[in-house]
Each structure stands twice: as C-alpha cells, then as structure tokens.
Amino acid sequence: KNEVEQSPQNLTAQEGEFITINCSYSVGISALHWLQQHPGGGIVSLFMLSSGKKKHGRLIATINIQEKHSSLHITASHPRDSAVYICAVSIAGGTSYGKLTFGQGTILTVHP
Amino acid sequence: DTAVSQTPKYLVTQMGNDKSIKCEQNLGHDTMYWYKQDSKKFLKIMFSYNNKELIINETVPNRFSPKSPDKAHLNLHINSLELGDSAVYFCASSQVSSPFYNEQFFGPGTRLTVL
C-alpha cells in the first residue's frame, strides 16, 4: 500500500462546480504539498502546509494532522483547472532532506 | 528567468545507448532532486544532492549515475538504456535550511523515449 493515497483517481466536473480532492497518508510528515501538472507536463507547487488551512484565489487546502488527511478544494471550477493534482508529503526526520513521497494523482477534467 | 531548467526537453534514443540529462537552478537552493514519472504519471524519487553531496539514492539501477559539479547543477547520466527507462524525468530544487520546511521547484521535465 502506498504511503500516500489520493481519491478520487479521476474526477469530471461541470464548470462552476465545487471540487474536492482528498489525500490520506500513513507516515509522520513535516509538510504536505499539493502540486498541479498541466497537460503540457510541467509541475507547479500549489500549496505546502503543515497545519490548518491555506487559500490562494479559488484554491483552498486544508490538513488535519491528527487524522493524517488533507483536502484540496477548488471553488467555481473552470476548464483551465483541468490538470492532474498530486498530493505529496515530506517525511519527517533529519535524513529525508525534503524528499517527496507522492500520491497517484487525481486527473481533473472540467467541462464548459 | 527560468528557476529550474532541464535539457533536453525530449530525448529519443536506441536501446543500449548512453545519454545525459542536465539540470540547472538559479534559485540559490542547496538541495536538488531527480524524480522519475512513469507512464501512469506516478512520481518517485531517484536521487538527491545536498551541497553537492549525494544524500538520497533510492533503489535505482547503477546504470543511472547522478553528478553535481556545483550546488546549481545536477546532471543525470544513464548507461546502456533499456526500454523500461522510458519515462519523464523531473529535476527539482529546494532550500533545506530547515529540514521541516521545503517548497520544491520543478523543472519542465525531460521526456525520454527508448526505442
């Protein structure tokens, strides 16, 4: 079993819908990352968080350390949000040097 | 003003050849990484260098040899390429001054196709 599990693996939505992607992890972490990969292939860091909630535009990321769970929300979704969203964790401990362990990714398609 | 750059972007080669991918970051970060993304889009760490020192070497065939001539560069050399090496390889960098906070910046990726 992967140390980082995402759901759903595929998500289709209509423009304007509220979207939630979930991430659960089974290891001690120093931080959780949400990444976005567009069809062109580049990977962009959306959020890095170790507690609470962060918001950037229409994107909101939350984390519950006790439950080892994080969610990424997109409000008022738009076709340009179509991408692969990847949850990743930095494992706690001085020898990890920030290496990321990744979930399988969620393929989001937003139709107009 | 690219923060993390990789060359080449695409690489098509025959089985058995040797090839290199180069990565450079201009962010002043102290740590660089190589990740491999397979055909199912799953990403996995391969190597990491901190201040030119190899610190993470996951279970990767020894045909793969990273080299870091300085903190800003991390290259990946692959010998005797095999079909299974076909993937997208991403370089990334971060500042691991504190082990507990490190946003990573990714390069554009190199799509390697082995025929």
Side-chain angles (χ1 to χ4, degrees):
Chain A
K1 190 173 190 272
N2 202 24
E3 291 170 319
V4 181
E5 295 283 346
Q6 278 183 246
S7 63
Q9 290 191 27
N10 286 280
L11 183 54
T12 302
Q14 288 298 125
E15 184 172 356
E17 286 184 356
F18 181 83
I19 288 163
T20 296
I21 300 170
N22 295 300
C23 176
S24 296
Y25 54 92
S26 57
V27 293
I29 69 169
S30 55
L32 184 139
H33 306 246
W34 281 103
L35 310 170
Q36 181 192 56
Q37 185 172 27
H38 270 288
I43 297 174
V44 175
S45 176
L46 296 174
F47 295 103
M48 183 182 71
L49 64 166
S50 56
S51 65
K53 176 178 170 179
K54 286 190 176 180
K55 185 174 190 290
H56 185 255
R58 294 180 295 106
L59 301 178
I60 303 165
T62 64
I63 187 168
N64 184 318
I65 297 294
Q66 287 73 30
E67 295 185 4
K68 291 191 163 89
H69 181 269
S70 175
S71 293
L72 176 69
H73 304 288
I74 305 175
T75 61
S77 60
H78 190 275
R80 66 175 174 266
D81 297 325
S82 298
V84 178
Y85 292 83
I86 303 168
C87 173
V89 299
S90 307
I91 304 231
T95 59
S96 66
Y97 280 88
K99 74 168 187 178
L100 295 181
T101 298
F102 299 87
Q104 313 94 310
T106 295
I107 302 172
L108 171 65
T109 305
V110 181
H111 293 295
Chain B
D1 249 38
T2 307
V4 183
S5 60
Q6 289 180 234
T7 54
K9 191 166 171 61
Y10 299 96
L11 186 51
V12 181
T13 188
Q14 299 285 332
M15 251 189 341
N17 284 350
D18 303 338
K19 290 292 178 186
S20 291
I21 307 171
K22 296 187 175 183
C23 178
E24 177 180 1
Q25 54 98 1
N26 62 8
L27 298 165
H29 287 165
D30 61 5
T31 305
M32 296 182 73
Y33 312 83
W34 278 113
Y35 295 100
K36 180 180 179 180
Q37 187 175 45
D38 63 22
S39 57
K40 294 182 180 176
K41 298 276 191 183
F42 187 66
L43 281 154
K44 195 166 182 186
I45 182 79
M46 298 175 70
F47 301 103
S48 177
Y49 271 74
N50 175 261
N51 288 316
K52 300 195 301 175
E53 184 183 341
L54 179 65
I55 51 168
I56 294 173
N57 183 350
E58 296 290 301
T59 311
V60 177
N62 57 17
R63 298 181 295 103
F64 290 77
S65 52
K67 280 192 173 52
S68 181
D70 55 59
K71 275 179 20 174
H73 295 85
L74 179 61
N75 304 322
L76 183 65
H77 188 76
I78 316 170
N79 289 326
S80 303
L81 278 155
E82 300 178 357
L83 293 175
D85 298 331
S86 295
V88 181
Y89 293 85
F90 285 96
C91 176
S93 74
S94 68
Q95 181 63 23
V96 192
S97 48
S98 162
F100 300 104
Y101 281 94
N102 61 288
E103 183 176 5
Q104 294 204 8
F105 293 81
F106 287 80
T110 296
R111 181 175 294 276
L112 171 65
T113 303
V114 182
L115 303 174

